[in-house]
Amino acid sequence: VQLVESGGGLVAAGGSLRLSCAASGFSFDDYAIGWFRQAPGKEREAVSYIRPDTGRQYYSDSVKGRFPISSDNAKNTLFLQMNNLKPEAAAVYYCAANEIVPLSLASWSVSDVGSWGEGTQVTVSS
């Protein structure tokens, strides 16, 4: 399993970024795939993921309604469209994949993640 993120950068508050995660070595039909983030001095937290069986999307309260997650299964690519960015969204964003599908976002802990990307930095200026 290999995950490679891209799309991070510096953006002004209120702006948008689109993160991508190019995946290989597995099928999106079989794995839960999503995004975590880690801000300086804070623990890594789950942001969003997609169930492989139903396509249902899960979001943290802090991003719900602003950061839609999507995937192109034919290209094995995951996206996170980040809209109306706030300074508190600044973090390193990591793509994550799991063969065991979590029951909820809250139950998908860092220790349960099977595969990680190297992360992409998102910086939001106020």
Side-chain angles (χ1 to χ4, degrees):
V1 173
Q2 186 173 16
L3 305 169
V4 180
E5 303 95 336
S6 62
L10 172 64
V11 64
S16 298
L17 282 174
R18 189 191 196 202
L19 304 184
S20 299
C21 172
S24 60
F26 68 100
S27 171
F28 278 24
D29 293 334
D30 300 324
Y31 277 59
I33 187 159
W35 296 93
F36 281 68
R37 69 184 180 187
Q38 187 166 20
K42 295 188 176 181
E43 294 185 353
R44 194 171 297 190
E45 62 175 356
V47 174
S48 179
Y49 79 97
I50 300 176
R51 283 188 67 97
D53 49 355
T54 64
R56 181 177 175 180
Q57 301 160 358
Y58 296 79
Y59 297 96
S60 67
D61 289 342
S62 61
V63 307
K64 192 177 299 181
R66 295 187 300 116
F67 289 12
I69 190 172
S70 62
S71 65
D72 183 336
N73 287 17
K75 296 183 178 180
N76 257 31
T77 303
L78 181 72
F79 303 101
L80 187 70
Q81 178 65 45
M82 306 168 69
N83 300 318
N84 189 20
L85 278 159
K86 302 177 181 180
E88 53 264 36
V92 178
Y93 283 73
Y94 297 91
C95 186
N98 247 51
E99 190 169 11
I100 298 174
V101 180
L103 296 176
S104 66
L105 194 70
S107 67
W108 197 11
S109 64
V110 170
S111 60
D112 291 336
V113 172
S115 301
W116 294 101
E118 293 191 353
T120 185
Q121 177 73 52
V122 172
T123 304
V124 184
S125 63
S126 56

